[in-house]
């Protein structure tokens, strides 16, 4: 028991020393680390494409999207929302958080806040700055 406590104290001291030297915290766990959360700057990869507007690399089409949809067009919507400072997860699932984000975006641009991405919402997602 004493040896385990002493080993834990030495390990903790080493972790603190490593943190002080490198600025990176060390852990005594061998568990797989959790994936890093998506950074707000992830949408910074959106680029202006003439004739299309803002494009984030997922889908070039401006097809109707609504609650329950999945896929590349939903990822494009989510990335465009993040580009416009509406922070939703870019996972390709048009769930309640994406719908709430679409409504927030629509209200901010004076659009009908129905949570549906139709032609007007696509236009504003692609061109609004």
């Amino acid at each position: 028991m004493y040896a385990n406590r002493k080993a834990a104290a030495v390990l903790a001291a080493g972790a603190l020393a490593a943190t002080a030297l490198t600025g990176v915290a060390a852990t005594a766990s061998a568990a797989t680390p959790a994936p890093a959360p998506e950074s707000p700057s992830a949408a910074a990869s959106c680029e202006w494409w003439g004739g299309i507007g803002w494009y984030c690399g997922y889908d070039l089409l401006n097809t109707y999207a609504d609650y329950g949809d999945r896929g590349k067009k939903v990822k494009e919507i989510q990335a465009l929302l993040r580009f416009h400072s509406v922070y939703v997860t870019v996972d390709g699932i048009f769930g309640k958080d994406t719908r709430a984000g679409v409504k927030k975006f629509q209200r901010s641009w004076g659009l009908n806040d129905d949570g549906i991405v139709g032609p007007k919402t696509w236009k504003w997602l692609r061109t609004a700055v």
Side-chain angles (χ1 to χ4, degrees):
M1 186 72 135
Y2 175 74
N4 287 343
R5 251 189 271 158
K6 185 170 183 177
V10 168
L11 181 61
L16 288 174
T19 300
L21 290 174
T22 65
V24 178
T27 64
S29 172
T32 305
E38 198 171 286
S39 69
S41 64
S45 63
C46 297
E47 297 177 6
W48 182 261
W49 282 30
I52 293 171
W54 294 109
Y55 170 64
C56 301
Y58 295 103
D59 194 17
L60 290 169
L61 302 176
N62 294 344
T63 57
Y64 175 92
D66 195 358
Y67 186 83
D69 286 348
R70 292 173 177 261
K72 294 187 305 180
K73 71 178 175 183
V74 177
K75 282 187 173 185
E76 184 73 13
I77 292 165
Q78 292 165 333
L80 286 165
L81 287 170
R82 289 176 66 88
F83 178 76
H84 291 293
S85 300
V86 179
Y87 297 110
V88 297
T89 301
V90 180
D91 60 5
I93 302 169
F94 200 129
K96 64 181 182 176
D97 292 337
T98 299
R99 182 173 51 192
V102 169
K103 287 182 175 186
K104 180 178 179 181
F105 175 81
Q106 289 169 327
R107 281 191 302 273
S108 72
W109 290 98
L111 301 170
N112 180 23
D113 63 341
D114 57 6
I116 297 170
V117 182
K120 287 182 183 178
T121 302
W122 270 115
K123 177 183 175 190
W124 284 92
L125 282 169
R126 293 279 193 208
T127 61
V129 183

